[in-house]
């Protein structure tokens, strides 16, 4: 094997400049593609984060009334009754937030009154029968009882008092009470004690800061009203969401023709809009990666074709001395494999350095080592595929070329 490699190395030394350029190109491609692939996978994984709700059947309608707002509670009950009468509607409520809905209500959570700083910042969800309407799975405890609900505007004005009960997600419960059940435990939210009566499987926040906090959410038994930032959340029967949305908007307009429909969207569209930036970044990085791989492949093809043209007499001499076409083909493939290997080794070190910079500047996670061998295999395969056509042309050079010139 060493006897086959030595002449290749000797030849590459005579073409040091062009060989170095190709090695650097492969190294840069390896470093960028490894990190880009990791970032694409990270973005795709984030976009596929489960919401824990009945996504395909949900919609949100936000309205704004014109003129004085009298008897808010009666208006809400009228609207809810009208929506329940729409064919295809399974459940309806007025809520403040939806997972990945972009309308965030946050609060600090403490474990006791004496605590100075909050243990966690939690996303707050309000709405009568919100858990049931969204289709969130309860894994422990119970849902709220009818007598535990209070109107949010009455709580703000002091006309009503909170029942001081709440529901938390399983992730938040494990963080607050590791190794113990959260049911019956008390936490402090907004300076008020709240007793945990139920644990939800998951319920992502409307807007997420750190991903590890995505399910740091609390549901409170507060009846929302549109005037206080609430929207109508409607759950349709499977397969009827699009038609129900149109009918629901018409039903709300019928109860009050002067109102303005600010938003009427299916949840699938709401979620898609939330992840639009992540999706655009994944597409951009994919395009950059493909472009780099194509440019690198073209560079390998171009350089190999140039060398074949330069070495036609040398190839003819080897053929005249008994070298087979397979031997000539193997020569160019081995040469390219050596160049690719040098570029990949350099690219792996560069990829690690770029990842350290991204971690420091943008708080991105560490690049898993598995991406490096995968990137190496891809570039090796790309190099062998790119050099194949020039190598086949070299193998077809006839021995008679050695007698020319």
């Amino acid at each position: 094997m060493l006897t086959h490699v030595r002449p290749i190395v000797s030849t590459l030394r005579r073409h040091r400049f062009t060989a170095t350029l190709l090695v650097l190109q492969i190294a840069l491609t390896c470093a960028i593609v490894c990190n880009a692939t990791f970032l694409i996978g990270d973005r795709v994984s984030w976009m596929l984060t489960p919401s824990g709700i009945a996504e395909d059947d949900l919609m949100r309608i936000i309205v704004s009334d014109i003129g004085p707002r009298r008897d808010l509670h009666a208006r809400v009950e009228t609207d809810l009754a009208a929506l329940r009468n729409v064919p295809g509607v399974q459940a309806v409520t007025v809520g403040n937030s939806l997972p990945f809905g972009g309308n965030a209500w946050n609060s600090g959570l403490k474990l006791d009154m004496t605590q100075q700083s909050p243990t966690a910042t939690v996303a707050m969800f309000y709405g009568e029968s919100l858990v049931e309407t969204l289709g969130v799975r309860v894994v422990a405890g119970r849902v709220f009882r009818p007598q535990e609900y209070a109107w949010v505007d009455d709580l703000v004005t002091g006309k009503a008092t909170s029942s001081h009960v709440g529901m938390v997600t399983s992730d938040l419960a494990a963080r607050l009470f590791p190794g113990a059940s959260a049911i019956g435990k008390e936490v402090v939210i907004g300076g008020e004690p709240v007793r945990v009566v139920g644990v939800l499987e998951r319920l992502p926040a409307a807007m997420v800061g750190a991903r590890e906090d995505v399910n740091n959410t609390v549901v409170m038994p507060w009846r929302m009203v549109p005037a206080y930032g609430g929207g109508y959340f409607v759950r349709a029967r499977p397969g009827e969401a699009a038609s129900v949305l149109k009918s629901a908007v018409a039903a709300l307009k019928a109860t009050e023709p002067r109102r303005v429909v600010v938003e009427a969207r299916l949840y699938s569209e709401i979620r898609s809009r939330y992840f639009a930036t992540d999706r655009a970044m994944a597409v951009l990085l994919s395009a950059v990666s493909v472009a780099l791989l194509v440019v690198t492949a073209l560079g390998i093809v171009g350089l190999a074709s140039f060398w074949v043209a330069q070495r036609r007499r040398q190839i003819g001499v080897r053929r005249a001395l008994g070298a087979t076409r397979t031997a000539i083909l193997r020569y160019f493939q081995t040469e390219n494999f050596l160049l690719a290997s040098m570029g990949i080794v350099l690219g792996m070190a560069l990829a690690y350095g770029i990842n350290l910079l991204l971690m420091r500047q943008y708080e991105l996670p560490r690049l898993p080592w598995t991406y490096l061998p995968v990137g190496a295999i891809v570039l090796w395969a790309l190099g062998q595929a790119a050099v194949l056509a020039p190598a086949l042309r070299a193998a077809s050079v006839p021995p008679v070329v050695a007698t020319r010139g």
Side-chain angles (χ1 to χ4, degrees):
M1 178 66 182
L2 190 60
T3 57
H4 296 292
V5 173
R6 278 178 177 173
I8 296 175
V9 174
S10 177
T11 303
L12 291 177
R13 284 177 178 172
R14 292 196 299 272
H15 300 87
R16 193 172 301 162
F17 180 72
T18 51
T20 301
L21 287 179
L22 183 59
V23 168
L24 291 176
Q25 184 180 14
I26 293 173
L28 185 62
T29 300
C30 178
I32 294 177
V33 169
C34 283
N35 278 282
T37 304
F38 169 58
L39 292 176
I40 292 169
D42 181 65
R43 285 292 186 272
V44 171
S45 174
W46 171 234
M47 289 189 290
L48 294 177
T49 302
S51 65
I53 65 176
E55 296 189 10
D56 297 335
D57 307 325
L58 286 171
M59 62 205 74
R60 179 174 67 188
I61 305 172
I62 299 176
V63 298
S64 178
D65 292 330
I66 297 176
R69 301 168 179 174
R70 300 188 182 92
D71 204 354
L72 297 178
H73 302 170
R75 175 76 61 85
V76 169
E77 295 294 352
T78 300
D79 290 341
L80 291 176
L83 290 172
R84 291 189 184 102
N85 288 329
V86 173
V89 170
Q90 274 191 314
V92 61
T93 188
V94 183
N96 66 324
S97 295
L98 284 173
F100 308 120
N103 186 22
W105 297 53
N106 299 323
S107 183
L109 181 147
K110 301 178 182 179
L111 293 176
D112 58 67
M113 290 288 190
T114 61
Q115 195 172 325
Q116 295 297 317
S117 57
T119 301
T121 299
V122 296
M124 306 296 293
F125 282 77
Y126 315 135
E128 185 174 11
S129 301
L130 179 69
V131 170
E132 298 90 323
T133 301
L134 298 184
V136 183
R137 181 168 172 258
V138 181
V139 296
R142 60 174 177 83
V143 296
F144 300 127
R145 299 187 177 108
Q147 64 271 21
E148 291 173 333
Y149 284 98
W151 290 99
V152 65
D153 52 321
D154 287 344
L155 292 170
V156 172
T157 58
K159 294 180 180 179
T161 58
S162 174
S163 54
H164 300 296
V165 295
M167 304 179 72
V168 301
T169 57
S170 56
D171 285 356
L172 182 59
R175 176 177 177 180
L176 299 176
F177 312 106
S181 173
I183 303 300
K185 299 288 196 309
E186 274 200 356
V187 295
V188 178
I189 302 176
E192 297 288 334
V194 175
R195 178 168 52 88
V196 178
V197 297
V199 177
L200 309 175
E201 183 179 29
R202 63 172 58 89
L203 185 63
M207 295 187 69
V208 182
R211 293 190 192 178
E212 59 269 19
D213 299 333
V214 61
N215 282 300
N216 277 5
T217 52
V218 176
V219 180
M220 298 293 290
W222 296 357
R223 294 188 181 96
M224 285 296 296
V225 292
Y228 276 66
Y232 292 98
F233 302 161
V234 182
R235 182 178 178 183
R237 287 198 293 261
E240 300 183 32
S243 60
V244 166
L245 179 60
K246 296 179 181 179
S247 300
V249 171
L252 289 175
K253 292 288 287 184
T255 60
E256 176 51 69
R258 294 185 303 168
R259 68 173 25 144
V260 176
V261 178
V262 179
E263 178 191 81
R265 288 194 177 97
L266 299 173
Y267 181 76
S268 57
E269 183 183 352
I270 294 171
R271 176 169 178 139
S272 178
R273 288 163 64 93
Y274 182 83
F275 289 109
T277 302
D278 299 280
R279 186 165 51 253
M281 179 173 289
V283 171
L284 177 61
L285 290 174
S286 299
V288 170
S289 299
V290 170
L292 278 173
L293 291 172
V294 170
V295 170
T296 301
L298 292 176
I300 294 172
V301 170
L303 186 59
S305 299
F306 174 71
W307 281 346
V308 168
Q310 276 198 329
R311 301 174 188 172
R312 283 181 62 84
R313 184 181 176 88
Q314 175 188 347
I315 296 168
V317 170
R318 291 193 60 189
R319 290 295 311 280
L321 293 176
T324 63
R325 292 188 175 186
T326 302
I328 299 299
L329 180 66
R330 189 185 304 117
Y331 175 92
F332 279 94
Q333 288 180 321
T334 304
E335 184 179 65
N336 180 264
F337 182 81
L338 290 176
L339 289 172
S341 298
M342 289 186 284
I344 288 168
V345 171
L346 181 60
M348 286 183 177
L350 187 58
Y352 185 73
I354 292 175
N355 180 246
L356 288 179
L357 179 63
L358 293 174
M359 288 173 60
R360 183 176 302 174
Q361 297 294 329
Y362 301 103
E363 299 182 356
L364 292 178
R366 183 180 297 276
L367 176 68
W369 69 269
T370 51
Y371 281 84
L372 300 179
V374 171
I377 292 172
V378 169
L379 285 170
W380 273 322
L382 177 70
Q384 293 302 303
V387 81
L388 184 60
L392 288 173
R393 286 201 301 272
S396 65
V397 174
V400 71
V401 172
T403 64
R404 295 177 184 171

